[in-house]
Amino acid sequence: MESCGGPSIEMNEKETCFVTSSLMWSELKKALEGNRFPQSLALSAPKQYHEKIAIDIARLLLCEKKNACGQCLSCCSWHEKTHPDLVLSGSLEKAPTISECREIAVELSLYPVVASCRLVVIQSADTLLLPAANSMLKIVEEPPEHGVILFLLENDKFLPTLKSRCWNLALAHEERFEPEEIPSAERSWKKWLESGETMTIEELEKQLHCWETWAIEEGQASLAARVDRLRLICESRKLPQGMVLDLILLSLKEGFAFEHVFDNLW
C-alpha cells in the first residue's frame, strides 16, 4: 500500500474549476450534506483529475463537519497530501495487485485514527486484473461500518459485479467549446438577446458551454459555476426555451442571486 504522497499531477486553476463546478461535484457534496454518502463509490474521470478528486473528497469526507473546515482535529491531521485515515492503493500508472487488494480488507478493518471513517482510494481501478477485482467483491458487499472505498476509473470499463455494487458517477471529458465572452454592457446584452430569442434549448446549452469555458479561462470560478447551473437546467429539458432565456438574463445580466431556485429545478 502507498501513502497519498506518491507521484502527483499539478492542476491549473481552470482544471480545478472544471472539477468543483461540475454536476458530479455537486452530487458528491449533496450526498455528504444529506448524510447519505455511499460506502462504495466508482468515479470515472480523465486521469489528470484523479489526484485532485481523491484529495478533495478525502478532505470533505474525513472532516468532522464534512465540509473541509480546516479547524477540526481531523482537518488538522493533514500533512500536505497525507492523512492517517486515508490510504491510497495502486498508482496513477497501474492498479493494485491481488495482494494489495487483500490488504485493503485489513486497512478498512482498522478503526479510524482521528476521523469518523477510513477512506481507501483505489487508483486505475478500470485496469484491475480479474483476480484482484474479484477479491474486492466481498469487501464491497460487506464493508466495515467505518470504511469507505473510492474506485477511480479513467473510463467506464469496470467489472460489472463491482460496478453494480457502487454508486457510479462520471466527470465527463466533454466536447471542447470555444470560449466566448459573456456580454457585460447593456448594448451587448441587447444584441445577444436578439439572437437568443430565436435559439433552441440545444443552442442555448451550447452558448452556455462557450460562456462557461470563457469564465474558467478567465479564472472566474463563481461565475463559471453559475453558468454551469444554467447549462444543467438547459440539459434537463424541464423548462421551456423562454423561461430558460429569462433565467439567463436574470442570473447573468441582472446578477439576481437565486441559487435556491436552481436547487429545485432538477
Side-chain angles (χ1 to χ4, degrees):
M1 297 290 237
E2 299 179 18
S3 73
C4 207
S8 64
I9 295 177
E10 295 298 325
M11 292 180 63
N12 60 37
E13 187 174 354
K14 65 180 180 181
E15 289 175 322
T16 297
C17 183
F18 179 70
V19 173
T20 57
S21 66
S22 67
L23 177 60
M24 175 212 75
W25 197 251
S26 176
E27 289 297 317
L28 288 172
K29 293 191 72 174
K30 284 180 182 179
L32 278 169
E33 292 165 1
N35 196 29
R36 53 182 177 82
F37 200 87
Q39 287 188 271
S40 299
L41 169 64
L43 202 154
S44 177
K47 189 164 287 189
Q48 71 197 74
Y49 301 110
H50 284 195
E51 184 180 69
K52 167 70 178 174
I53 290 169
I55 297 300
D56 281 6
I57 288 178
R59 289 189 184 279
L60 290 171
L61 184 65
L62 299 177
C63 172
E64 291 177 9
K65 299 178 181 179
K66 306 301 182 189
N67 63 2
C69 71
Q71 299 178 342
C72 67
L73 177 61
S74 182
C75 285
C76 292
S77 298
W78 282 93
H79 177 66
E80 296 181 349
K81 296 177 182 178
T82 64
H83 187 281
D85 290 313
L86 171 63
V87 178
L88 193 68
S89 184
S91 69
L92 290 172
E93 290 75 35
K94 62 178 181 178
T97 64
I98 187 169
S99 61
E100 289 173 326
C101 286
R102 287 170 178 162
E103 289 180 34
I104 291 172
V106 177
E107 292 286 350
L108 283 179
S109 68
L110 299 175
Y111 281 96
V113 180
V114 290
S116 61
C117 66
R118 283 178 67 76
L119 172 64
V120 172
V121 178
I122 301 177
Q123 298 189 104
S124 304
D126 47 334
T127 62
L128 279 167
L129 296 178
L130 187 59
N134 284 333
S135 72
M136 294 296 304
L137 279 173
K138 185 172 177 59
I139 305 171
V140 173
E141 287 176 342
E142 301 176 7
E145 186 177 345
H146 55 265
V148 178
I149 305 172
L150 169 61
F151 295 95
L152 286 176
L153 321 169
E154 189 171 21
N155 54 55
D156 202 28
K157 294 179 180 178
F158 195 34
L159 188 69
T161 49
L162 277 176
K163 183 176 182 179
S164 64
R165 290 165 172 78
C166 297
W167 183 30
N168 296 274
L169 288 176
L171 179 68
H173 208 161
E174 299 173 337
E175 174 189 351
R176 168 67 181 177
F177 291 90
E178 289 301 316
E180 185 177 327
E181 185 175 356
I182 299 172
S184 56
E186 184 70 30
R187 183 176 179 181
S188 57
W189 270 114
K190 183 178 180 180
K191 183 178 179 180
W192 179 82
L193 184 58
E194 290 175 356
S195 59
E197 288 178 337
T198 62
M199 287 184 182
T200 64
I201 286 286
E202 291 78 11
E203 289 170 333
L204 284 173
E205 183 181 347
K206 183 175 181 179
Q207 174 72 86
L208 289 165
H209 264 299
C210 295
W211 285 351
E212 183 179 359
T213 301
W214 175 82
I216 290 172
E217 293 192 351
E218 291 295 310
Q220 299 189 44
S222 60
L223 178 58
R226 177 170 287 206
V227 176
D228 188 59
R229 290 180 180 179
L230 288 164
R231 181 186 61 77
L232 290 172
I233 290 172
C234 278
E235 189 178 271
S236 72
R237 304 295 189 266
K238 291 183 178 180
L239 297 178
Q241 186 267 2
M243 191 172 292
V244 170
L245 196 63
D246 288 341
L247 286 175
I248 290 173
L249 293 173
L250 281 170
S251 180
L252 302 182
K253 178 178 180 290
E254 305 297 337
F256 185 69
F258 60 127
E259 280 79 3
H260 58 283
V261 175
F262 286 124
D263 292 337
N264 295 325
L265 288 177
W266 52 70

